[in-house]
Amino acid sequence: MARREPVYRVVLMLAKSIVGAQGLRVDYRGLENIPATGGVLVAVNHTSYVDFLEAGLTVKRTGRWPRYMVKAELRKVKIMAFIIKHCGAIGVDREHGAESYHEAVAALEAGEVVLMYPEATISRSFELKEFKSGAARMAIEADVPIVPVIVWGTQRIWSKGTQRRIGRHRFPVVVEVGRPLRPDGADPAALTARLRAAMGEALERAQDGFPAPAGEDWVPARLGGGAPPPDEALRLEQEEFALRKAKREAKRQTNGG
């Protein structure tokens, strides 16, 4: 970690500055559930483009430095490539993920904290989507606990299908950290189910008493908000993925690939 720390400290300062500039009122709960030492996989729900800030700051409040698993294509952006390299982030190629998988397992076995999103992509409904099995498989192989984390409220700032609300607004945010899940004797499917159930319970705790103005685009339909229900959100996501795939194919053909 020593060689990554100088850049990481600068990034941390920037993250704190952004949160401070927005005036976010963050309620951190259950930080004691993040082990002080040893490898640990932190699984976070994904509802916005900025929840990674609070997820990382949550881990750092326990005195540890998280290694994010991020989309490999972010390396195409120079500043992101620099941050990924010098902060030890693990680039994930969704079509060829074996390399990033093994890098994450090695980090966990070395006693580091790896932070990832088991839903892979942002949930437009702000409910939990189906989980990928990667988190469970890594925890089992490295024999480390998974800590479920819910970040709730950042979707109000910037997410898919919502109005962008950048600036100083003093929005409330809740970070709910659940108890560690040991992978002892589990198979990936069973551990994935346990993880999703634990995160579902943490989500309900985070939402309990949280403002939910009727009809607002950042509030789940289940709570009377204007966000699309899960089935509609899934349809929108599938359309988005199909469009991206078509654009990539058109670009390959244009380039003679």
Side-chain angles (χ1 to χ4, degrees), residues 38-246:
V40 58
L41 194 151
V42 174
V44 187
N45 68 319
H46 204 3
T47 61
S48 77
Y49 292 111
V50 294
D51 48 26
F52 73 96
L53 291 173
E54 285 306 332
L57 289 173
T58 297
V59 175
K60 191 61 192 73
R61 286 177 76 90
T62 69
R64 307 199 66 181
W65 301 88
R67 292 187 65 179
Y68 286 89
M69 297 193 75
V70 300
K71 294 187 295 185
E73 51 262 42
L74 289 176
R75 290 172 174 161
K76 297 178 182 178
V77 181
K78 286 186 177 180
I79 183 62
M80 289 305 300
F82 179 84
I83 291 173
I84 289 171
K85 177 181 178 180
H86 292 279
C87 291
I90 301 169
V92 180
D93 185 329
R94 290 175 184 162
E95 294 183 0
H96 308 284
E99 182 177 344
S100 57
Y101 174 89
H102 292 303
E103 184 177 355
V105 169
L108 293 169
E109 291 176 334
E112 297 192 82
V113 179
V114 173
L115 188 154
M116 69 174 298
Y117 297 102
E119 298 167 282
T121 57
I122 288 176
S123 169
R124 292 174 180 265
S125 69
F126 311 127
E127 305 283 10
L128 294 179
K129 297 163 52 178
E130 291 302 313
F131 282 16
K132 307 296 184 184
S133 65
R137 290 187 289 111
M138 286 189 289
I140 291 170
E141 184 169 342
D143 191 25
V144 299
I146 305 178
V147 173
V149 174
I150 291 292
V151 178
W152 187 249
T154 57
Q155 75 274 16
R156 187 176 184 178
I157 303 168
W158 186 15
S159 188
K160 289 185 177 181
T162 65
Q163 176 186 347
R164 190 182 304 183
R165 301 172 178 91
I166 303 296
R168 188 168 181 81
H169 36 56
R170 294 185 56 78
F171 292 153
V173 172
V174 170
V175 179
E176 186 80 34
V177 183
R179 294 178 180 177
L181 303 176
R182 288 294 316 179
D184 306 328
D187 65 80
L191 184 55
T192 299
R194 284 174 56 203
L195 173 61
R196 192 173 186 279
M199 292 183 71
E201 293 172 0
L203 179 61
E204 290 183 1
R205 293 196 298 272
Q207 291 172 337
D208 186 24
F210 196 93
E216 288 287 334
D217 58 9
W218 58 273
V219 178
R222 172 175 55 85
L223 299 178
D231 55 348
E232 174 66 9
L234 177 60
R235 184 188 65 80
L236 292 170
E237 182 179 85
Q238 290 172 337
E239 289 181 354
E240 178 185 0
F241 288 166
L243 181 60
R244 286 183 187 177
K245 184 177 180 180

Side-chain angles (χ1 to χ4, degrees), residues 6-16 53 83 87:
V7 175
Y8 216 141
R9 286 192 181 279
V10 173
V11 173
L12 179 64
M13 288 173 55
L14 288 173
K16 287 182 175 179
L53 291 173
I83 291 173
C87 291

